[in-house]
Amino acid sequence: MTDPRRLLEEARNLGNQELDFLKKGDVDSASDLAGQRQKLMQRAFDVLDDSTRNSCADQLRELHEQLDAIMAEGRKLKSSLQADLGKVRNTGKQFKGYSMGAGIPQGNRGLYHKRG
């Protein structure tokens, strides 16, 4: 039988690596580690019984705090991405405004004349 304390410790180590990847902006690697961490935690919860639950309480609290940190880092990345997308959207509007002000035709409008 697998020791749930060892599984929770491995999950915590993976969580630390996941948090490091998120801080670096490597979302793909963090996602892979999140899947592995989830499987480890599920295995630990499957073998966790009443006698070991009390001995694992500290590890479970640490994992909860770690998950909060991972979620906070994910929110930071999300807000950063939203800000970047907003900047790109505004830049596109600016270029469209410049082209209209400079008299550059948009699309096919103005390229063809009715008179030959």
Side-chain angles (χ1 to χ4, degrees), residues 2 5 14-15 29 36 38 43 56-57 61 71 83 88 94 98 105 110 115:
T2 308
R5 286 175 289 231
L14 284 177
S29 297
Q36 293 174 17
Q38 188 269 335
R43 284 180 39 207
C56 293
R61 275 190 221 97
M71 299 271 295
V88 168
Q94 289 173 347
Y98 293 146
R115 290 185 226 156

Side-chain angles (χ1 to χ4, degrees), residues 9 16 36 49 52 58-59 64 69 72 76 80 84 86 92 106-107 116:
E9 185 64 31
N16 287 334
Q36 293 174 17
D49 57 4
T52 57
D58 290 337
Q59 284 181 312
H64 186 272
K76 286 180 192 176
S80 172
D84 290 346
Q106 297 291 315

Side-chain angles (χ1 to χ4, degrees), residues 7-50:
L7 291 172
L8 291 174
E9 185 64 31
E10 288 179 33
R12 193 168 62 99
N13 291 337
L14 284 177
N16 287 334
Q17 293 174 9
E18 179 184 352
L19 188 58
D20 291 341
F21 280 128
L22 283 175
K23 287 180 180 178
K24 293 176 187 174
D26 189 355
V27 179
D28 293 329
S29 297
S31 176
D32 293 340
L33 286 177
Q36 293 174 17
R37 183 175 50 85
Q38 188 269 335
K39 289 176 185 175
L40 277 175
M41 290 179 65
Q42 186 61 49
R43 284 180 39 207
F45 290 138
D46 288 344
V47 297
L48 196 65
D49 57 4
D50 291 335

Side-chain angles (χ1 to χ4, degrees), residues 59-104:
Q59 284 181 312
L60 292 171
R61 275 190 221 97
E62 289 174 5
L63 282 169
H64 186 272
E65 292 170 3
Q66 184 183 61
L67 182 61
D68 289 342
I70 290 171
M71 299 271 295
E73 193 63 36
R75 286 186 195 104
K76 286 180 192 176
L77 284 172
K78 179 183 174 188
S79 65
S80 172
L81 183 62
Q82 285 176 334
D84 290 346
L85 287 174
K87 289 177 187 175
V88 168
R89 214 175 289 126
N90 288 338
T91 303
K93 288 179 184 178
Q94 289 173 347
F95 284 137
K96 185 176 181 181
Y98 293 146
S99 66
M100 291 179 81
I104 299 172

